[in-house]
């Protein structure tokens, strides 16, 4: 027998607490920092070499790699991607902000990977 979800989603709870945007931004920044570190390791780039290729300081690179530092510009991300032979991709996606919980559950039952 399939269990039905009881209560709200985790995203809903984060929104109720007023921390959804902050938590999401931190998670995205952590992923980007890890991806960049992995690309640097793959290329065998030291931090000094990476900073040189980005035409920036080692301190600026350290901020970029710091998962807690979220004041990173698109320009800096683009430079970092180019330095490791990658491309930066972004997109705007629909949010659940104005969708009722019932509509979210309906969507989740039709498309489990979209939630």
């Amino acid at each position: 027998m399939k269990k039905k979800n009881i209560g709200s989603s985790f995203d809903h709870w984060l929104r109720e607490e007023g921390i959804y945007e902050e938590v999401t931004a931190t998670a995205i920044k952590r992923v980007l920092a890890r991806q960049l570190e992995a690309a640097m390791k793959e290329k065998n780039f030291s931090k000094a070499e990476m900073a040189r290729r980005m035409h920036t300081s080692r301190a600026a690179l350290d901020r970029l790699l710091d998962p807690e530092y979220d004041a990173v510009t698109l320009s800096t991300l683009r430079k970092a991607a180019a330095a490791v032979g990658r491309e930066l991709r972004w997109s705007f996606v629909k949010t659940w902000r104005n969708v009722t919980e019932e509509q979210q559950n309906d969507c989740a039952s039709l498309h489990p990977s979209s939630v």
Side-chain angles (χ1 to χ4, degrees):
M1 182 165 123
K2 186 177 177 182
K3 291 183 180 180
K4 185 176 177 181
N5 290 341
I6 299 174
S8 301
S9 69
F10 184 62
D11 286 353
H12 184 73
W13 178 80
L14 290 172
R15 282 187 184 91
E16 285 179 347
E17 295 297 311
I19 59 173
Y20 178 80
E21 286 80 12
E22 178 185 347
V23 170
T24 301
T26 299
I28 290 169
K29 179 58 172 51
R30 285 184 178 172
V31 169
L32 289 172
R34 287 187 185 140
Q35 287 177 344
L36 183 56
E37 285 180 330
M40 288 171 57
K41 186 175 181 179
E42 179 183 299
K43 295 280 189 180
N44 237 0
F45 289 170
S46 66
K47 286 183 177 182
E49 175 63 15
M50 182 66 178
R52 185 188 70 74
R53 288 173 178 265
M54 289 177 60
H55 306 286
T56 192
S57 68
R58 168 81 187 271
L61 177 61
D62 285 338
R63 287 190 298 271
L64 178 59
L65 294 172
D66 179 354
E68 301 301 320
Y69 183 81
D70 63 357
V72 177
T73 66
L74 288 175
S75 176
T76 300
L77 291 170
R78 184 190 51 76
K79 287 179 189 179
V84 292
R86 298 293 196 321
E87 182 178 291
L88 180 64
R89 294 191 181 183
W90 287 89
S91 63
F92 289 97
V93 295
K94 292 181 181 179
T95 67
W96 294 103
R97 193 162 280 151
N98 296 318
V99 178
T100 67
E101 190 170 338
E102 183 178 342
Q103 290 170 320
Q104 288 180 31
N105 292 335
D106 289 345
C107 183
S109 66
L110 295 173
H111 306 284
S113 64
S114 68
V115 178

